[in-house]
Amino acid sequence: MARAITLIRSDSLSDVAEYAYAATAPAESRLIFLAGACPLNEDGSTAAIGDYAGQAAKAVENMRAALDAAGASLQDVISTRVLVASTRREDLVTAWQVVRDSIGDHDVPSTLMGVTVLGYSDQLVEIEAVAAVLDS
């Protein structure tokens, strides 16, 4: 299947970041804007309480389900924003590593942010994403 995404790298920017610095999608692509994927179980309870990696994994799982419902996959994601309720860089990195590993070589432009609080009780991680698909 043809992909709509083109990841852009620049030799004038550091290669330390584990993601492309920009991405494009052609005009004929359908953009999919996902609400923040939260680490919620089917019954609405928060998964993996106190566990940054566990919550990141559940948020990725829920993001995959939302993408699937929209006719897309992780390979169609064009950008992400990972929100982590912590002031500790180690917690952000823990959550990021789970997200990064789930995306693999499709290393889209991403933002990793520490925030004060998220919307659900005991929630530590949330992942926003935009995807682009070519409908044939």
Side-chain angles (χ1 to χ4, degrees):
M1 174 188 348
R3 296 284 179 200
I5 309 297
T6 301
L7 300 179
I8 300 168
R9 300 175 194 324
S10 172
D11 292 338
S12 65
L13 297 170
S14 171
D15 64 357
V16 172
E18 295 180 314
Y19 48 81
Y21 279 96
T24 63
E28 65 272 16
S29 62
R30 176 171 52 95
L31 295 179
I32 303 164
F33 297 88
L34 279 71
C38 299
L40 299 179
N41 295 312
E42 196 170 307
D43 67 1
S45 64
T46 302
I49 293 173
D51 179 1
Y52 288 93
Q55 287 201 7
K58 183 64 176 177
V60 168
E61 177 185 324
N62 290 342
M63 182 173 66
R64 282 186 172 143
L67 286 164
D68 185 58
S73 73
L74 283 178
Q75 295 302 305
D76 298 309
V77 170
I78 193 167
S79 68
T80 66
R81 181 178 298 126
V82 180
L83 309 172
V84 182
S86 180
T87 59
R88 293 173 13 112
R89 181 171 281 117
E90 298 84 11
D91 298 333
L92 276 71
V93 170
T94 296
W96 168 249
Q97 196 58 54
V98 172
V99 174
R100 176 70 181 90
D101 289 350
S102 71
I103 293 172
D105 291 339
H106 186 66
D107 54 349
V108 299
S110 298
T111 299
L112 176 63
M113 298 173 52
V115 298
T116 304
V117 66
L118 292 166
Y120 292 98
S121 293
D122 300 310
Q123 182 182 358
L124 301 173
V125 178
E126 187 163 334
I127 307 167
E128 296 177 10
V130 176
V133 295
L134 293 171
D135 293 321
S136 327

